[in-house]
Amino acid sequence: TTVPPPLQPGATMLALYPGNGAQYRPHTDPRSVDDTRMLSSVWYLTPNWEESQGGVLRIRTVNTTRKRLQGNQANLKDRKNSFMQFQSPSVTETTEGDGTVDIAPLSDRLVLFLSRSVVHQVLPTLQGEDRYAATIWWHDTSSVSWDSSQLE
């Protein structure tokens, strides 16, 4: 059996997406080879959210890992010990239709996903209330020695 790598909590982000079209484009969380974020935990805090308000979390369910990895060989720090760097999808890469799941930001809902490899985005908020969420990123510390200040 494979034991999952140890995870350490990192920064917490309190997010406000104003009800005026605010969004977050499709991406994966690693921004550099040194970025050890592996898992995202998102806790939704918007009271009385309704579908007409928008701002849903869209998760891509199809496996794009191989395609991304083949195009990013030069970005890998050390193939043997690397976490496999992924690039955010291009603007032309679709995140709609088959292969996606939309998760409504219902108040007090907690969503966990592997943000290192799963393409995700926040769809535009629409007229109405603002969208609130608290996010904690969990870091893979299995192959790195950290001091606690690096996880803030």
Side-chain angles (χ1 to χ4, degrees), residues 97-136:
D98 290 342
T100 62
V101 172
D102 289 350
I103 301 170
L106 300 174
S107 185
D108 209 26
R109 174 176 275 174
L110 178 66
V111 178
L112 303 172
F113 60 96
L114 295 172
S115 53
R116 173 185 291 177
S117 57
V118 174
V119 176
H120 55 285
Q121 71 184 101
V122 176
L123 297 180
T125 56
L126 306 173
Q127 294 294 343
E129 299 295 320
D130 297 337
R131 177 189 178 276
Y132 300 92
T135 301
I136 297 176

Side-chain angles (χ1 to χ4, degrees), residues 7-54:
L7 297 176
Q8 293 291 322
T12 299
M13 176 182 74
L14 297 176
L16 161 65
Y17 288 82
N20 63 1
Q23 64 182 307
Y24 210 98
R25 299 226 180 255
H27 66 285
T28 54
D29 283 343
R31 298 293 188 230
S32 71
V33 176
D34 297 323
D35 189 338
T36 60
R37 288 181 289 176
M38 177 181 223
L39 177 79
S40 288
S41 55
V42 182
W43 180 34
Y44 292 108
L45 305 169
T46 305
N48 306 313
W49 178 86
E50 295 179 13
E51 189 174 349
S52 63
Q53 292 174 264

